Amino acid sequence: MEEFGFENSTFWNTLFISTSQQGSRSMLNRMEMLRVFLVAVEAPSFREAAHRLGTSPQKVTRAIKELERTFAEPLFHRSTRQATLTAFGAEIAQQARETLNQFDRLFVSHSKPKSAEIVGRVGITAPHAIGKLYMAEFLKPLMQQHPGLRIELNLDDQLTDAVLSRIDIGVRIGAVRDRRFIARAVAQVPLKIVAAPALIAAVGAPSSMEALKPLPLSVLIDRNNGRPWPWFFSDGESYLPPSPAFSCDDPETELEFVLAGLAFAQMPHYLAEPHLSDGLLVEVLADCAPPTVDLIVYRTQSGPVPPRVRLVYDHLIACLSDKASFPKSSRENG
């Protein structure tokens, strides 16, 4: 995968050469290994990490082992079935994310291509809620700085046909399986069960999944097939309310009904968080929440890309990986 240097076979030939042999290239190779490590942390297995990176599990394992040799500490506890992060590995992962995010933001904020060069169309696809709530704010500075930049935004909660829709960049929740794409996980998306304080005062806060089921619940309809999305819980459990109090195919409309105190709903943190922080929503059954899912930013071109696409791609990665801007806080909405 080109984003991590995997399309260049020289990367894997030089990645594991000793520091004394690499000289000035050692820092670059260490940063690439940290990127591999972070994908392995976010993926459920080394095999899945390799799939996301477009390489083999052996090469991912090799990168992890080299980092462990460098730090002289294990990063994962390994068994025949799985690898779990050690306490030291979790500490390194947190520091690596902060370091690499700062590194990426440095190049985005200080790269100054000539405005005359940043012209033309960039096709972007994103989920409806993210597109409506965040894209204008994120893209405004780029479009002001580069008046010749033309953005075409396609809102779709499913993976969009990149060819038919002329997509250059995509934002997606969950895995992007197309190996032709250059994909990067930039954030984790928790799902939260929420309700308005007035509804909780009226019907009580559920203490279990069984106590939740008789309460007024909302479901979101999949626009592509007309079917309701089930609610997801820990340990792989799911529940589809048979007679929901409210259903619709728009996440923001569902949010308005929940804020009005008409139903409980399960929604991603980027929708719920601003209202949780200002007390308009309350989270319930937090201990039953399902595992977080990746927020992915991807490019549809694996080779050299136009400067306008690279600029927008790097900028969206920086914005969506910045916890100060995604999700929004109530102060930002205020």
Side-chain angles (χ1 to χ4, degrees):
M1 196 171 182
E2 179 264 344
E3 181 66 26
F4 295 89
F6 295 137
E7 286 190 344
N8 182 354
S9 60
T10 305
F11 169 75
W12 285 111
N13 292 334
T14 60
L15 180 58
F16 304 108
I17 301 174
S18 67
T19 302
S20 60
Q21 290 174 299
Q22 290 183 60
S24 62
R25 301 180 64 185
S26 62
M27 181 61 71
L28 172 63
N29 289 335
R30 285 179 175 178
M31 293 182 68
E32 297 295 348
M33 285 193 291
L34 286 176
R35 293 188 188 277
V36 174
F37 167 60
L38 288 180
V39 174
V41 169
E42 293 161 354
S45 67
F46 286 0
R47 182 174 297 278
E48 174 60 24
H51 179 81
R52 296 180 187 182
L53 294 168
T55 187
S56 69
Q58 291 80 8
K59 290 178 179 178
V60 171
T61 300
R62 236 178 125 191
I64 301 301
K65 286 183 177 179
E66 178 63 14
L67 279 177
E68 290 178 328
R69 186 196 65 78
T70 301
F71 290 122
E73 289 275 359
L75 299 173
F76 290 91
H77 295 298
R78 295 172 177 81
S79 68
T80 55
R81 292 189 175 183
Q82 62 180 357
T84 57
L85 203 60
T86 65
F88 178 78
E91 180 181 346
I92 292 298
Q94 180 180 354
Q95 294 178 13
R97 286 191 192 96
E98 294 171 355
T99 300
L100 292 177
N101 286 341
Q102 290 176 2
F103 179 82
D104 290 339
R105 286 196 294 270
L106 173 68
F107 279 87
V108 171
S109 60
H110 292 284
S111 59
K112 297 181 179 179
K114 296 180 181 178
S115 296
E117 297 176 353
I118 306 300
V119 296
R121 174 192 176 280
V122 177
I124 304 173
T125 182
H128 284 80
I130 291 179
K132 293 176 183 178
L133 294 176
Y134 294 93
M135 284 299 165
E137 177 185 338
F138 288 167
L139 294 173
K140 179 180 177 179
L142 289 187
M143 297 181 73
Q144 289 178 330
Q145 185 179 359
H146 306 286
L149 184 63
R150 294 187 298 107
I151 299 295
E152 289 188 12
L153 181 60
N154 177 297
L155 299 184
D156 195 336
D157 293 323
Q158 301 296 315
L159 195 62
T160 304
D161 188 303
V163 176
L164 291 178
S165 301
R166 299 174 62 212
I167 298 301
D168 300 299
I169 299 167
V171 178
R172 190 59 49 215
I173 298 172
V176 175
R177 301 289 183 182
D178 195 320
R179 292 176 179 268
R180 297 170 298 174
F181 295 168
I182 307 306
R184 181 164 167 191
V186 297
Q188 294 293 302
V189 178
L191 290 176
K192 297 176 180 287
I193 300 174
V194 296
L199 180 58
I200 292 177
V203 303
S207 57
S208 66
M209 286 176 53
E210 290 304 314
L212 175 73
K213 293 177 180 179
L215 300 179
L217 306 181
S218 173
V219 296
L220 194 63
I221 304 298
D222 187 334
R223 284 185 173 95
N224 292 281
N225 57 31
R227 298 173 183 170
W229 288 98
W231 289 40
F232 297 99
F233 298 92
S234 57
D235 301 323
E237 295 181 85
S238 64
Y239 174 66
L240 183 60
S243 301
F246 177 72
S247 61
C248 73
D249 64 356
D250 181 69
E252 288 182 286
T253 302
E254 181 184 43
L255 173 63
E256 292 302 316
F257 272 73
V258 175
L259 287 169
L262 299 174
F264 289 78
Q266 186 178 61
M267 61 184 59
H269 77 308
Y270 54 79
L271 271 176
E273 201 63 47
H275 307 290
L276 288 168
S277 63
D278 62 19
L280 294 179
L281 290 179
V282 175
E283 182 179 9
V284 299
L285 296 179
D287 56 341
C288 296
T292 60
V293 292
D294 289 335
L295 180 68
I296 304 289
V297 179
Y298 65 90
R299 293 201 326 264
T300 59
Q301 293 176 271
S302 59
V305 296
R308 66 183 184 276
V309 175
R310 169 60 74 174
L311 178 70
V312 175
Y313 178 74
D314 289 343
H315 181 72
L316 288 179
I317 286 176
C319 290
L320 289 166
S321 61
D322 183 1
K323 293 181 180 179
S325 61
F326 182 83
K328 292 179 181 179
S329 69
S330 60
R331 288 190 297 273
E332 291 176 281
N333 290 341

